[in-house]
Amino acid sequence: MRIISGSARGRQLKSPKGMLTRPTLDSTRESIFNILANNYGLAGSRVLDIFAGTGALGLEALSRGASYCAFIDHYTRDLIRENAAMCGFEGHYDVYRMEVGRALAALEGQTFHYIFADPPYNKNLVCHTLSCIFGYGLLDSDGLIIMEHCRQEPIADDPAYEVIREKTYGKETRVSFICRRQEGE
């Protein structure tokens, strides 16, 4: 696994031993960031990476010009710090090593332009994570959530948000782009 583009392009990221994480494939990550670069832009943005694992999504965002990233992962704090240091991002990130709901509550009062979430598949965490994000007001008014999830775990309809784009990768991975529902819809 490597950083695909930007200031840390080509840096190899360390991964944890065992099956504790399911890293986003380089090809999927590249596709996600091509969509963001071509339609939205990352320069100066604040990013949140939930269920961060290696930190690859947040680190890719920093490499492409995001100004700050908050990482949340209960298990891989030291690995994320090591990968961030290797990419030269000291002072541009924080890592929260706690259960996701508690970490999101701790971030209440902050907002993020991009929120990456890659919960473990088939654990009923997709809608719970979205509920916490909107419940704690973490998404900027014009922000975007990029949710990587098992395609068998749908995103429920909700008056707070809408899915504006979805793309399927391989047999089981779906990436959904989610924004605030606009008033009057």
Side-chain angles (χ1 to χ4, degrees):
M1 191 171 358
R2 63 183 171 81
I3 299 294
I4 297 162
S5 187
S7 65
R9 180 181 182 175
R11 299 272 167 81
Q12 292 292 120
L13 300 177
K14 293 185 177 186
S15 296
K17 293 177 175 36
M19 297 300 291
L20 194 59
T21 63
R22 177 194 32 78
T24 301
L25 296 175
D26 282 358
S27 59
T28 303
R29 196 162 19 94
E30 184 169 20
S31 176
I32 290 168
F33 279 95
N34 284 342
I35 290 167
L36 294 178
N38 292 331
N39 297 291
Y40 305 99
L42 287 155
S45 62
R46 287 177 45 86
V47 175
L48 174 59
D49 188 350
I50 307 171
F51 304 101
T54 63
L57 289 167
L59 294 172
E60 187 73 40
L62 288 169
S63 181
R64 293 174 183 239
S67 62
Y68 171 81
C69 184
F71 296 94
I72 298 173
D73 200 292
H74 190 70
Y75 303 103
T76 59
R77 176 186 60 195
D78 294 338
L79 178 67
I80 293 167
R81 287 179 175 165
E82 191 175 341
N83 282 335
M86 185 173 42
C87 292
F89 297 137
E90 292 87 354
H92 295 278
Y93 71 92
D94 288 301
V95 182
Y96 294 82
R97 183 182 183 237
M98 58 182 78
E99 183 273 325
V100 168
R102 283 185 42 224
L104 294 174
L107 291 169
E108 187 172 20
Q110 297 186 50
T111 59
F112 300 90
H113 195 259
Y114 295 109
I115 299 176
F116 297 98
D118 185 8
Y121 284 4
N122 299 312
K123 302 283 185 189
N124 296 318
L125 292 169
V126 172
C127 291
H128 171 71
T129 303
L130 288 169
S131 177
C132 288
I133 290 168
F134 285 95
Y136 295 122
L138 300 175
L139 185 66
D140 278 348
S141 60
D142 61 345
L144 195 62
I145 299 168
I146 301 91
M147 176 72 71
E148 183 178 338
H149 57 104
C150 180
R151 56 189 270 200
Q152 285 78 30
E153 192 172 353
I155 294 176
D157 285 333
D158 190 284
Y161 56 81
E162 62 182 313
V163 177
I164 58 170
R165 183 178 190 153
E166 288 188 311
K167 190 164 181 179
T168 301
Y169 300 90
K171 293 181 181 178
E172 63 178 357
T173 299
R174 177 169 290 151
V175 175
S176 299
F177 293 78
I178 304 160
C179 67
R180 289 180 179 274
R181 189 174 298 277
Q182 300 302 313
E183 290 187 35
E185 289 186 21

